[in-house]
């Protein structure tokens, strides 16, 4: 159920169409030139999220993949192709400030370069804002969002939970 590919050497692997189970762990794996296009590598709070922490993802293909909540902390995604991938719910509609916060949360310390393809032009700009120049044409995503940058609630949403003390907040579903 929770496949463990920690420290695996999967250089050039073609994993398109593979069933990698629920929330695989690719921490510190080498997936250089691997193809993970179209895979569901997301997660959910109930089960966790896929891990790519400190993974080597040079020129790895993630086109069209579902990567909801996947953790890329400290990974090297130089030249990776994320065209059409999804990192978080509401990616298309969230404010730029919220996007920068989420990018730093999921990709903190990750390195990338000008050959990295982000899901779309807006996300490319978000990752530029969430990063700083590193050595020799690479960029590093900030480990934490810049001071003053915090996720913004949707327009019209209250900053406080609205369960009114009725029922169990985890199972109330707004009734």
């Amino acid at each position: 159920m929770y496949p463990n590919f920690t420290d695996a050497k999967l250089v050039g692997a073609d994993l398109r169409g593979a069933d990698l189970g629920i929330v695989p762990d690719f921490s510190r794996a080498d997936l250089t030139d691997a193809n993970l296009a179209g895979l569901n590598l997301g997660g959910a709070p109930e089960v966790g999220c896929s891990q790519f922490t400190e993974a080597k993802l040079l020129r790895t293909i993630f086109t069209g993949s579902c990567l909801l909540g996947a953790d890329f902390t400290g990974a090297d995604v130089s030249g990776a192709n994320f065209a059409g991938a999804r990192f978080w719910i509401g990616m298309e509609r969230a404010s730029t400030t919220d996007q920068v916060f989420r990018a730093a949360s999921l990709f903190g310390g990750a390195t990338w370069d000008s050959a990295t393809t982000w899901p779309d032009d807006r996300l490319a700009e978000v990752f530029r804002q969430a990063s700083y120049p590193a050595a020799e044409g690479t960029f590093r995503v900030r480990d934490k969002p810049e001071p003053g940058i915090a996720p913004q609630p949707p327009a019209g949403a209250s900053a406080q939970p609205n369960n009114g003390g009725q029922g169990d907040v985890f199972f109330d579903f707004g009734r």
Side-chain angles (χ1 to χ4, degrees):
M1 221 171 128
Y2 299 96
N4 187 350
F5 298 99
T6 302
D7 297 312
K9 304 294 183 224
L10 298 167
V11 175
D14 186 349
L15 300 173
R16 290 175 294 172
D19 180 0
L20 299 175
I22 298 173
V23 296
D25 187 348
F26 289 100
S27 297
R28 299 180 309 280
D30 186 349
L31 288 154
T32 298
D33 295 316
N35 191 338
L36 284 77
L39 293 181
N40 184 359
L41 298 169
E46 304 83 30
V47 295
C49 296
S50 296
Q51 298 293 311
F52 293 93
T53 54
E54 299 178 16
K56 190 174 180 180
L57 304 169
L58 305 174
R59 299 174 304 278
T60 302
I61 300 169
F62 289 100
T63 55
S65 291
C66 176
L67 300 164
L68 295 177
D71 187 351
F72 290 89
T73 303
D76 188 347
V77 297
S78 298
N81 186 344
F82 292 107
R86 290 185 44 91
F87 297 129
W88 52 82
I89 294 173
M91 223 169 66
E92 307 81 15
R93 300 177 310 277
S95 71
T96 300
T97 301
D98 188 45
Q99 300 273 15
V100 170
F101 180 85
R102 290 179 189 272
S105 297
L106 296 176
F107 283 80
T111 56
W112 59 280
D113 63 10
S114 61
T116 303
T117 304
W118 297 107
D120 57 37
D121 290 340
R122 182 171 185 225
L123 263 290
E125 179 57 30
V126 162
F127 276 91
R128 278 194 276 296
Q129 289 183 30
S131 304
Y132 59 90
E136 300 183 35
T138 63
F139 303 89
R140 185 174 309 273
V141 179
R142 289 177 180 79
D143 289 333
K144 295 181 181 170
E146 285 189 10
I149 294 180
Q152 302 297 314
S158 170
Q160 298 295 319
N162 187 16
N163 68 356
Q166 300 170 359
D168 187 333
V169 296
F170 296 107
F171 298 100
D172 193 356
F173 300 110
R175 287 187 243 164

